C-alpha cells in the first residue's frame, strides 16, 4: 500500500547551484547526498517534513554524471524541471507486482538500490498519464549510509 509522497525528483544541470537556490529561497537544507553510479547521477535529498508513517518527504535534486544516463537524456530533451514523483511503500516488491497486474509497465524486473539505501522501481510514464512514477521502500532505520 502506498503511504506517502516520498519525494519529487527534479533534474538540474548544476546540483550545487540548485541546492543553493532551494536553501536561500525556502530554507531547505541537504539531508543526504550521494553519487549513484548505476543511475549516473549526483543527487541531494532535501527533507521537507516528517510523515505519520515514520518516513519523510523530500525534494530530490538530480544532476547527471554522464550524458547517456536517464536523467542526462531527459535534461537534454526537456531542460530542468520535475523529472518524477515517488510514492513510499512498505513493500516495493508486492506493490510493484500488484500494479503490474493492473496493466502498468514496471521498468525494473527486480527493485534496485536507490537513494539512502532504499529499494526502488519505476512505472512507465505512458501508463501513468505522462508521469514517470517511482515506488520506494526506505531502508530500515540505522541501515542508511550517509
Amino acid at each position: 500500500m502506498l503511504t506517502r509522497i516520498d519525494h519529487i525528483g527534479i533534474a538540474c544541470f548544476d546540483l550545487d547551484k540548485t541546492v543553493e537556490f532551494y536553501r536561500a529561497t525556502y530554507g531547505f537544507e541537504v539531508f543526504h547526498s550521494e553519487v549513484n553510479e548505476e543511475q549516473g547521477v549526483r543527487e541531494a535529498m532535501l527533507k521537507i517534513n516528517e510523515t505519520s508513517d515514520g518516513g519523510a518527504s523530500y525534494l530530490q535534486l538530480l544532476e547527471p554524471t554522464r550524458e547517456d544516463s536517464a536523467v542526462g537524456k531527459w535534461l537534454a530533451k526537456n531542460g530542468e524541471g520535475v523529472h518524477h514523483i515517488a510514492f513510499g511503500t512498505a513493500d516495493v516488491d508486492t506493490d510493484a507486482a500488484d500494479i503490474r497486474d493492473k496493466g502498468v509497465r514496471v521498468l525494473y524486473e527486480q527493485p534496485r538500490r536507490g537513494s539512502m539505501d532504499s529499494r526502488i522501481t519505476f512505472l512507465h510514464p505512458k501508463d501513468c498519464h505522462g508521469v514517470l512514477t517511482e515506488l520506494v521502500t526506505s531502508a530500515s532505520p540505522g541501515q542508511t549510509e550517509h
Side-chain angles (χ1 to χ4, degrees), residues 116-145:
M116 301 184 293
D117 293 323
S118 61
R119 297 185 69 240
I120 65 166
T121 194
F122 286 90
L123 309 178
H124 200 291
K126 289 184 179 177
D127 297 343
C128 299
H129 296 271
V131 178
L132 179 60
T133 303
E134 182 179 4
L135 304 179
V136 178
T137 296
S138 298
S140 300
Q143 180 182 330
T144 304
E145 296 176 14

Side-chain angles (χ1 to χ4, degrees), residues 14-85:
D14 184 327
L15 184 65
D16 297 326
K17 187 181 210 180
T18 306
V19 164
E20 179 54 25
F21 168 80
Y22 280 95
R23 188 204 60 72
T25 305
Y26 305 116
F28 298 151
E29 297 293 338
V30 174
F31 176 78
H32 174 85
S33 61
E34 69 180 82
V35 174
N36 186 320
E37 295 293 344
E38 179 184 359
Q39 295 188 21
V41 295
R42 186 169 77 105
E43 65 177 84
M45 296 293 274
L46 311 178
K47 185 186 277 189
I48 307 306
N49 67 317
E50 304 290 331
T51 60
S52 62
D53 67 355
S57 293
Y58 303 90
L59 287 180
Q60 179 187 46
L61 306 178
L62 300 159
E63 174 190 71
T65 58
R66 55 183 197 269
E67 291 179 13
D68 69 339
S69 70
V71 172
K73 291 175 185 177
W74 190 89
L75 268 171
K77 181 179 177 183
N78 300 294
E80 293 183 307
V82 175
H83 179 263
H84 67 274
I85 186 167

